[in-house]
Amino acid sequence: MNPEYTPERLNDFLSLLLSQSVRIKTVLPNDSTRIADESSLLIMDILVELEDGSLANIEVQKIGYLFPEMRSACYSADLLLRQYKRIRDEKKRMGKQFSYRDIQPVYVIVLFEKSPLPFKKFPDTYYHYSEQKSNTGVELKNPQKFVYLALDVFKEKQDNGDGTIHNKLEAWLTFLCRDEPEWILKLIKKYPDFEFLYEDIYELCRNMEKVMGMFSKELLELDRNTVRLMIDEMQEDIDQLQVERDQLQDEAARLQDENHQLQEQLKDSEEKSRKLEQQAQEIIRLKKMLEGK
């Protein structure tokens, strides 16, 4: 899906995803080149400019990051600022006045191989589109748009379905998330063009330098910090569970002590009851003796 060498593929995928005709105009450079990083959970990160001037950032994640909405907002803000600076500078060079009417939508598109928890709450929905709306219904053309694709949810839904690929978007998602031979054959049989993509994958896997060139360093430090935070939070969960287990053990020991005390009290009570019963029998015997006299 390299937008420089095979733009028609990304054009097709984005057109299906955004339900509008999309043609990539140019590929914008990132701040610097990302190389493989131990703490990065990204597979792909591409920034493109569309025909209408809008920007799109396409990101594929192996494991869904924490705070996907905050992370997406950071990307969106960066895209919007990039567009603003570019249009402002172009207008200045042409001797024209900048207008905010020139600002086009920006899209943040995230594909999760393993989606975060909020998306798992919708087991029948793998496509999520988000944009800002007013509580009054007033129409404001907010340029920030978000698309989230939960590939694991799509895969599970496909497994529980009728075993067919219904449309071209599902074909792309099948290509992106499935490696079983039977699904690959189904995909190629219905959409033969994907055979060329599999051939490219084979060649790509033999050229690691090309693989490394797919990555950008956009927000790399944020990636690292997020991964560390995820690890820290998992450790906090473990520590919390340890504390809760210790508390349960203490409570069990306390209840056991209380049970032992209750057993002792029960024994004392039974002993007292036995003595009272003996006294009662003695009183009855003495009464009978008196009545006999």
Side-chain angles (χ1 to χ4, degrees), residues 253-280:
R254 185 184 65 79
L255 291 173
Q256 188 173 5
D257 290 341
E258 289 182 355
N259 182 59
H260 179 72
Q261 293 175 6
L262 288 172
Q263 292 292 339
E264 292 297 326
Q265 291 175 3
L266 181 60
K267 288 181 181 179
D268 292 343
S269 178
E270 289 176 350
E271 181 64 23
K272 290 178 180 178
S273 295
R274 187 180 62 81
K275 290 181 178 180
L276 289 173
E277 181 66 22
Q278 290 176 350
Q279 291 176 359

Side-chain angles (χ1 to χ4, degrees), residues 92-280:
K92 186 176 181 180
R93 286 194 301 269
M94 297 171 61
K96 296 182 179 179
Q97 187 70 27
F98 169 80
S99 172
Y100 282 100
R101 285 193 297 270
D102 298 321
I103 295 293
Q104 297 297 323
V106 295
Y107 296 88
V108 175
I109 302 168
V110 183
L111 288 78
F112 297 111
E113 184 175 1
K114 295 182 180 179
S115 53
L117 183 60
F119 298 94
K120 294 185 182 298
K121 296 179 180 179
F122 299 87
D124 296 325
T125 305
Y126 57 85
Y127 179 98
H128 301 267
Y129 176 83
S130 174
E131 62 179 349
Q132 296 182 16
K133 292 186 177 180
S134 168
N135 66 322
T136 61
V138 60
E139 294 186 7
L140 300 173
K141 295 181 179 180
N142 193 293
Q144 295 172 291
K145 320 289 183 183
F146 305 89
V147 176
Y148 302 97
L149 284 171
L151 295 179
D152 52 345
V153 175
F154 167 76
K155 187 176 180 180
E156 185 173 352
K157 185 175 181 180
Q158 198 174 51
D159 286 336
N160 297 329
D162 55 9
T164 62
I165 301 171
H166 300 92
N167 51 58
K168 189 65 177 294
L169 179 57
E170 287 193 5
W172 271 109
L173 300 183
T174 301
F175 172 75
L176 290 170
C177 74
R178 310 214 69 127
D179 56 8
E180 303 92 329
E182 60 271 20
W183 279 104
I184 293 175
L185 291 174
K186 286 180 184 180
L187 177 58
I188 293 176
K189 184 177 181 180
K190 190 166 185 178
Y191 296 95
D193 290 345
F194 281 91
E195 183 175 357
F196 299 103
L197 275 75
Y198 285 109
E199 291 176 359
D200 283 354
I201 289 177
Y202 174 74
E203 293 298 328
L204 189 64
C205 290
R206 297 174 59 189
N207 186 348
M208 289 307 297
E209 183 179 354
K210 200 170 185 180
V211 174
M212 305 297 283
M214 293 175 61
F215 296 87
S216 74
K217 202 175 181 180
E218 192 78 22
L219 300 179
L220 176 57
E221 190 59 35
L222 178 60
D223 294 351
R224 291 172 174 163
N225 293 339
T226 303
V227 174
R228 293 191 189 105
L229 176 61
M230 292 170 71
I231 294 172
D232 290 343
E233 290 198 351
M234 284 188 286
Q235 184 61 51
E236 288 178 2
D237 290 341
I238 293 172
D239 294 341
Q240 180 63 30
L241 289 173
Q242 180 70 36
V243 171
E244 291 177 359
R245 189 190 69 175
D246 293 342
Q247 290 175 345
L248 288 173
Q249 289 178 342
D250 293 342
E251 181 67 13
R254 185 184 65 79
L255 291 173
Q256 188 173 5
D257 290 341
E258 289 182 355
N259 182 59
H260 179 72
Q261 293 175 6
L262 288 172
Q263 292 292 339
E264 292 297 326
Q265 291 175 3
L266 181 60
K267 288 181 181 179
D268 292 343
S269 178
E270 289 176 350
E271 181 64 23
K272 290 178 180 178
S273 295
R274 187 180 62 81
K275 290 181 178 180
L276 289 173
E277 181 66 22
Q278 290 176 350
Q279 291 176 359

